[in-house]
Amino acid sequence: MDDDLLIGAHMSISGGVEKSLIRGESVGCKTIQIFTKSSNQWKAKNLLKEDIERFHNNKQKTGITNIVAHDSYLINLASPKDDLRQKSFEAFVIEMERCRDLGIKSLVMHPGSHTGAGEDNGLKTITDQFNSILNLTKGWDVNVLLETTAGQGTNLGYKFEHLAYIIDNVDQKDRLKICFDTCHVFAAGYDISNEEGYNKTMDHFEKILGLDKISVFHLNDSKKGLGSRVDRHEHLGNGELGENPFRFIMNDARFHQVPKILETPKGKEMEEDKVNLALLRSLAK
């Protein structure tokens, strides 16, 4: 049973993108998430042919072929400011290009922040951006995964309806999927900490978006309470969520083939990842 559990963690690309796969293998990952470049800088060093070859070689060596990327935190496609929006547009296309070159088919991103322009304006802005981006990258084997957010500040995506609006108003709907973050969903007000609440939340998601849209789970406990709208990750079982939602997800047959990735705090030796992954294995019946 353990061998077919598609679980893993976010891995550092320090020293080269190919090193992330070796790090993932060392803690028992079957799937990983990476940044393809520095997450807090606009510029990125070009991926060389040798970088891409080493990455592909390590995929074969480790057997970790299910890889997810996450975009830079600086990108805000919902920005009402023309200069930041254009900069974000260009940076996101580069992120997609890097995924294409590395053979990564899923790029997770936070929908963005309206920064005072209002949710309706923000959602329309990001939808317009995506129509242009997806048209520009037509034919690329890269899907965009809109991440559920906690709703901190003026962030969009804390309601399932926000994500549905974006998908409904984008032409290439099949290229937009969802990344379901447990911490964010709980902080946004969806109580998945008990069985009744979990089932109710998943039923609501099915009605609004369709569960088949979930392409990745971020499995994170939450330091803050239900509806706090604060995004603070905690180790599994040590936060406000407890172990229950992770047990529900690990045993939900509908999500057996969906990658489940940790974004919990960790030190250099990644012992925390080993502990959290061991917990997930123990929760799977």
Side-chain angles (χ1 to χ4, degrees), residues 108-149:
V108 175
M109 61 92 66
H110 295 188
S113 303
H114 63 76
T115 65
E119 291 185 354
D120 290 347
N121 286 329
L123 289 169
K124 184 175 186 314
T125 298
I126 191 173
T127 301
D128 291 343
Q129 295 296 290
F130 271 131
N131 272 320
S132 298
I133 287 168
L134 295 176
N135 186 53
L136 191 63
T137 62
K138 198 168 188 176
W140 293 15
D141 192 13
V142 182
N143 288 327
V144 175
L145 275 54
L146 305 172
E147 183 171 345
T148 57
T149 69

Side-chain angles (χ1 to χ4, degrees), residues 71-240:
D71 75 337
S72 165
Y73 294 131
L74 298 175
I75 291 172
N76 183 12
L77 294 176
S79 176
K81 295 181 179 177
D82 293 344
D83 54 346
L84 177 57
R85 191 172 62 253
Q86 182 60 29
K87 202 171 184 179
S88 297
F89 180 99
E90 292 167 2
F92 194 76
V93 171
I94 289 171
E95 297 261 11
M96 292 187 72
E97 185 178 37
R98 292 170 81 87
C99 286
R100 181 197 63 184
D101 292 346
L102 291 169
I104 297 173
K105 298 184 178 183
S106 297
L107 176 59
V108 175
M109 61 92 66
H110 295 188
S113 303
H114 63 76
T115 65
E119 291 185 354
D120 290 347
N121 286 329
L123 289 169
K124 184 175 186 314
T125 298
I126 191 173
T127 301
D128 291 343
Q129 295 296 290
F130 271 131
N131 272 320
S132 298
I133 287 168
L134 295 176
N135 186 53
L136 191 63
T137 62
K138 198 168 188 176
W140 293 15
D141 192 13
V142 182
N143 288 327
V144 175
L145 275 54
L146 305 172
E147 183 171 345
T148 57
T149 69
Q152 195 161 306
T154 61
N155 288 349
L156 300 164
Y158 66 93
K159 292 179 180 177
F160 299 157
E161 287 82 358
H162 288 178
L163 307 177
Y165 175 90
I166 296 169
I167 294 173
D168 288 346
N169 289 280
V170 163
D171 296 331
Q172 296 182 48
K173 297 180 188 354
D174 58 327
R175 293 181 66 193
L176 288 186
K177 312 291 184 183
I178 302 296
C179 169
F180 188 106
D181 187 303
T182 53
C183 167
H184 297 173
V185 163
F186 182 72
Y190 298 96
D191 190 359
I192 57 172
S193 66
N194 58 76
E195 191 167 10
E196 182 184 358
Y198 174 82
N199 290 331
K200 185 178 177 183
T201 298
M202 290 306 177
D203 287 347
H204 184 55
F205 192 100
E206 170 66 29
K207 181 182 176 185
I208 302 299
L209 284 150
L211 291 173
D212 60 330
K213 276 290 183 185
I214 300 177
S215 289
V216 171
F217 279 99
H218 282 170
L219 297 188
N220 305 303
D221 208 327
S222 178
K223 283 184 181 291
K224 302 297 182 179
L226 177 67
S228 63
R229 302 275 292 272
V230 177
D231 178 5
R232 293 290 183 276
H233 298 184
E234 180 58 280
H235 294 295
L236 309 190
N238 291 349
E240 295 293 322

Side-chain angles (χ1 to χ4, degrees), residues 243-260:
E243 293 183 4
N244 278 337
F246 308 108
R247 179 181 292 105
F248 302 148
I249 291 170
M250 290 302 296
N251 293 289
D252 195 325
R254 297 171 295 184
F255 306 131
H256 184 67
Q257 297 298 321
V258 179
K260 301 162 186 73

